[in-house]
Amino acid sequence: MAAVVAPPAVVAPVKNELNTLKVGVFGSLKKGENWQPYPPNPPNEPPFKVGNIHVAQKRAPGKQVYADMEYTNYDVGAVPADFKDASGNPIVTIDQVPASKKQARFYGKTQNEPAKIQASFQTSLKDFRKTQFTAKLAKKKAANKAELNIRQKEITTGTQSELDEMTKVYSEKKTELQARLEETFKEHKKKVLDNKEQVADKKYDTAPRDLLAKDLQTAGEDVIGRLLKPRETRKRHRFMHLLVKPGDAAGSGSGAGAGSGAGSGAGAAAGYGDDSPGPYGDPPPLEGGSRKRKTKRKKPHHSSAI
């Protein structure tokens, strides 16, 4: 019985995106017909040599003449995920995509036709890569927009949470402040009514209205001073550092030294000496006590005349 020989396995051709490039509306450039990449070399043809033009009358129609030339390919797959180049600039056009020089053999009927084929091939290839890049960039932009929307939602939700907490603290302190002011006013009102004669005769050192204003100010400052700052609320927001004024972090450390230095410089510039009072009274004593200026007394002049 004869052995059954299995038919040879059919190997599917490797799909190449440059097998056919469209030119115009109906035209196309096909690998192996209009052009041949390097390597491999077509059979029975000399090796590639850039700039080499060869004519063979016995070749198939359209391939009587060929020329070895370079073309530029664009590696869309090498574009970084963040679409930024080495300098950090955004990549937004095909001309910013990493490019490399390739060699190919272009065929034609006449001596000038291979160059025309190469030009059409280069234009079509760039358009093809541009389409790929545009689709990839659009996908990235869509992902960025979705991420930004999520981020904005988180920011809005977090900010509203902080505002709600601040409103709650404000309302509580406002109620407390109103109560303290009302209580202080009632106390002063009672004192005035208990001392009607003294008030009528103006026998007081400070007018009741001035005492009331001072006590109201003290009561208000006490309540306001305990008003929680946004950073001290129950939940610290992740973006709360944006509300900090520039320099606040350094204020507790070097601020005092800088302020005293600036103050003394300003005083000197305005014409106030070490021992001269400034516009707001005497200057603060120097560290270690005040200095006394030593003056040299002049010796009395004795005349020799009697």
Side-chain angles (χ1 to χ4, degrees):
M1 185 176 179
V4 179
V5 179
V10 178
V11 180
V14 178
K15 185 178 181 181
N16 191 307
E17 58 185 5
L18 300 183
N19 281 343
T20 301
L21 280 176
K22 293 183 178 181
V23 179
V25 181
F26 302 106
S28 63
L29 296 173
K30 296 182 179 181
K31 185 173 70 171
E33 294 182 12
N34 307 103
W35 69 284
Q36 181 69 34
Y38 171 85
N41 295 324
N44 303 322
E45 289 186 359
F48 274 79
K49 184 178 181 181
V50 176
N52 181 38
I53 298 178
H54 189 78
V55 179
Q57 299 294 340
K58 294 182 180 180
R59 283 208 176 92
K63 299 182 65 174
Q64 294 92 334
V65 181
Y66 70 82
D68 297 334
M69 290 177 283
E70 286 185 340
Y71 69 91
T72 302
N73 198 4
Y74 300 86
D75 190 359
V76 177
V79 177
D82 59 353
F83 280 74
K84 291 184 179 180
D85 59 17
S87 301
N89 300 317
I91 300 176
V92 294
T93 65
I94 186 65
D95 294 314
Q96 295 175 280
V97 174
S100 59
K101 292 291 184 180
K102 301 288 185 179
Q103 295 182 16
R105 179 165 290 172
F106 300 93
Y107 299 98
K109 297 179 181 180
T110 64
Q111 191 170 356
N112 295 328
E113 194 169 6
K116 295 180 180 179
I117 296 294
Q118 189 271 353
S120 298
F121 175 86
Q122 179 68 79
T123 301
S124 300
L125 176 59
K126 187 172 183 179
D127 291 343
F128 178 68
R129 297 299 189 203
K130 182 179 180 181
T131 301
Q132 289 181 317
F133 172 75
T134 302
K136 188 174 182 179
L137 181 61
K139 186 177 180 180
K140 175 62 176 177
K141 288 183 176 179
N144 288 349
K145 185 176 181 180
E147 183 179 353
L148 179 61
N149 290 339
I150 295 175
R151 191 68 165 170
Q152 290 288 356
K153 185 177 181 181
E154 291 178 351
I155 293 175
T156 302
T157 303
T159 303
Q160 188 59 49
S161 175
E162 287 292 342
L163 293 176
D164 291 343
E165 292 182 9
M166 292 170 60
T167 302
K168 181 180 178 182
V169 172
Y170 165 74
S171 298
E172 293 176 352
K173 292 300 175 181
K174 179 181 178 181
T175 301
E176 180 184 351
L177 178 59
Q178 289 177 333
R180 291 286 298 274
L181 295 179
E182 182 70 19
E183 180 182 354
T184 302
F185 173 66
K186 289 180 178 180
E187 291 178 356
H188 279 263
K189 184 177 179 181
K190 184 176 183 302
K191 291 179 180 178
V192 170
L193 295 176
D194 291 344
N195 299 278
K196 290 182 291 185
E197 294 182 359
Q198 182 180 5
V199 174
D201 295 337
K202 304 294 183 181
K203 296 178 180 179
Y204 45 76
D205 297 331
T206 305
R209 62 176 181 275
D210 295 335
L211 292 175
L212 173 61
K214 180 180 179 181
D215 286 354
L216 289 175
Q217 181 71 22
T218 302
E221 289 176 351
D222 178 61
V223 174
I224 295 174
R226 290 185 285 109
L227 181 65
L228 295 179
K229 305 298 187 296
R231 286 172 287 173
E232 299 171 348
T233 51
R234 176 176 54 81
K235 181 177 64 176
R236 178 180 173 87
H237 192 257
R238 69 178 67 179
F239 304 107
M240 192 51 60
H241 65 280
L242 298 176
L243 300 178
V244 180
K245 294 181 180 178
D248 279 0
S252 58
S254 58
S260 60
S264 59
Y272 305 116
D274 291 342
D275 299 326
S276 300
Y280 304 108
D282 294 335
L286 297 176
E287 185 178 355
S290 59
R291 294 183 300 175
K292 293 184 178 180
R293 182 177 296 176
K294 295 182 180 180
T295 55
K296 190 174 182 181
R297 294 185 178 182
K298 294 183 180 181
K299 294 182 180 180
H301 180 70
H302 298 285
S303 175
S304 58
I306 299 177

